[in-house]
């Protein structure tokens, strides 16, 4: 969210991607709220569907968006040890909306473009590196198929810390 409280929506996101020359495909579909629902939606590239976890530390001072392939298991205690964080848990729906302008079921790395205060650190699984990814375009009624390197570059340009792990 910028200083005026504006949050980008799907239409503006697609305009930004076009302006930046970022290639993508979009698949419109009924609303999906879980990875399982996405896998059952007969989407064209199920092997590159992402799972997105919005996490916070126990003091609600640092937030993390963890994006991995849908079948990868993330153990928060292991993540905490690996990256030296405080105790972690899932962030609330209120935090998700306040920080990234997203509703439950619509979590996506593109939400980081709405994080005007740069509260969220982005972690993306190395299994996506150099390839394509399937993620929501700020709404859970479509999936964008886009290059991971393009997303990382866009998010870094926005001032967000990105870690490939």
């Amino acid at each position: 969210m910028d200083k005026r409280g504006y949050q980008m929506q799907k239409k503006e996101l697609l305009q930004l991607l076009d302006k930046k020359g970022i290639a993508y495909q979009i698949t419109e579909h009924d609303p999906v709220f879980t990875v399982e629902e996405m896998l059952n939606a007969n989407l064209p590239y199920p092997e590159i569907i992402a799972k997105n976890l919005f996490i916070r530390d126990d003091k609600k001072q640092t937030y993390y968006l963890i994006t991995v392939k849908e079948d990868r298991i993330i153990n928060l205690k292991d993540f905490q040890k690996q990256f030296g964080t405080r105790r972690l848990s899932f962030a609330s729906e209120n935090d998700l909306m306040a920080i990234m302008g997203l509703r439950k079921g619509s979590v996506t790395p593109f939400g980081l473009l709405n994080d005007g205060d740069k509260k969220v650190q982005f972690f993306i699984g190395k299994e996506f590196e150099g390839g394509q990814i399937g993620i929501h375009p700020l709404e859970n009624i479509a999936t964008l198929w886009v290059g991971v390197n393009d997303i990382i570059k866009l998010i870094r340009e926005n001032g967000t810390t990105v870690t490939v792990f």
Side-chain angles (χ1 to χ4, degrees):
M1 184 179 347
D2 69 17
K3 298 300 178 195
R4 298 178 311 276
Y6 173 77
Q7 292 182 328
M8 183 182 300
Q9 299 297 318
K10 178 182 155 194
K11 177 183 173 187
E12 293 87 3
L13 171 64
L14 297 178
Q15 290 171 346
L16 175 65
L17 296 177
D18 291 341
K19 179 181 170 188
K20 296 254 182 203
I22 296 174
Y24 62 88
Q25 277 184 271
I26 188 165
T27 303
E28 304 284 342
H29 49 71
D30 290 335
V32 292
F33 295 89
T34 65
V35 170
E36 184 177 353
E37 289 178 10
M38 284 186 75
L39 292 171
N40 291 328
N42 291 325
L43 297 175
Y45 312 106
E47 69 280 3
I48 57 171
I49 289 174
K51 170 170 51 180
N52 299 283
L53 307 174
F54 186 48
I55 308 295
R56 65 164 177 83
D57 70 13
D58 59 349
K59 296 283 188 186
K60 293 188 178 184
Q61 293 177 338
T62 306
Y63 291 80
Y64 307 90
L65 177 63
I66 304 170
T67 299
V68 294
K69 283 205 175 176
E70 58 80 20
D71 60 350
R72 185 166 169 192
I73 305 289
I74 296 296
N75 180 307
L76 294 183
K77 287 182 181 177
D78 291 345
F79 185 89
Q80 178 184 328
K81 279 185 205 167
Q82 183 177 355
F83 295 104
T85 71
R86 297 183 59 86
R87 202 175 98 246
L88 300 173
S89 62
F90 287 93
S92 71
E93 288 182 54
N94 289 341
D95 287 344
L96 179 62
M97 178 55 75
I99 297 169
M100 295 200 294
L102 299 173
R103 298 190 189 291
K104 183 178 178 182
S106 298
V107 180
T108 174
F110 290 125
L112 296 164
L113 301 175
N114 286 330
D115 177 16
D117 294 328
K118 310 300 178 260
K119 287 184 175 183
V120 184
Q121 297 177 32
F122 181 44
F123 287 78
I124 186 163
K126 66 182 175 187
E127 64 270 20
F128 281 121
E129 200 168 32
Q132 298 282 308
I133 189 171
I135 53 177
H136 292 310
L138 303 170
E139 299 174 6
N140 66 351
I141 58 169
T143 298
L144 276 183
W145 313 99
V146 63
V148 172
N149 291 343
D150 290 329
I151 292 172
I152 290 172
K153 182 179 178 194
L154 184 65
I155 291 170
R156 282 186 172 142
E157 285 174 358
N158 193 55
T160 300
T161 301
V162 178
T163 302
V164 178
F165 77 110

